[in-house]
Amino acid sequence: MQHRETRALCKEKGIVVEAYSPLTHGKRLGDPTVAKIAKAIGKTPAQVLLRWGVEHGLVTLPKSTREARILENASIFDFTLDETAMNALDALDEGRATGWDPRDQD
Ligand SMILES: NC(=O)c1ccc[n+]([C@@H]2O[C@H](COP(=O)([O-])OP(=O)(O)OC[C@H]3O[C@@H](n4cnc5c(N)ncnc54)[C@H](OP(=O)(O)O)[C@@H]3O)[C@@H](O)[C@H]2O)c1
């Protein structure tokens, strides 16, 4: 759920945006496109998703209960994603809420 309109508005107004559940709650770490990009650059799918957020200027706050994953998730500042990879990841938007959806009024 990439919220492009909201992100564009926030950028215009100088508002910092957090990528809520930046690892898709773990639900899309097996996505084939993400896996392909990760394999090509020698990173993990989680690192690719987090780097995608950083490249877009988002604050990413991943959650993990495991030390190895916390270290893995923090190691995303020694590589970049090229335009082809960014475009491929941008194209994966499903509009899928992993948690509370602010559009739900109930
Ligand atoms: N979503 C919510 O409802 C909610 C509410 C309030 C606050 N937050 C905050 O928002 C942030 C995001 O948390 P989130 O749980 O919603 O979503 P998330 O960070 O997108 O995903 C967390 C899930 O991914 C797994 N994971 C983490 N690192 C991984 C890795 N490197 N490889 C494979 N799996 C990995 C975690 O499992 P393991 O723990 O087993 O590693 C957990 O199941 C956190 O800082 C949280 O405190 C979220």
Side-chain angles (χ1 to χ4, degrees), residues 11-71:
K11 189 174 181 184
E12 189 187 309
K13 303 287 183 190
I15 299 168
V16 175
V17 175
E18 179 195 343
Y20 196 88
S21 299
L23 295 176
T24 68
H25 232 66
K27 298 281 195 292
R28 289 292 182 273
L29 290 173
D31 180 274
T33 300
V34 177
K36 189 177 167 189
I37 292 168
K39 192 174 177 193
I41 60 176
K43 296 293 175 183
T44 67
Q47 289 172 321
V48 167
L49 290 187
L50 295 172
R51 186 68 209 183
W52 173 88
V54 168
E55 300 270 357
H56 273 303
L58 304 170
V59 175
T60 57
L61 291 174
K63 168 255 164 187
S64 180
T65 54
R66 307 179 204 203
E67 184 178 359
R69 285 181 174 175
I70 292 170
L71 292 171

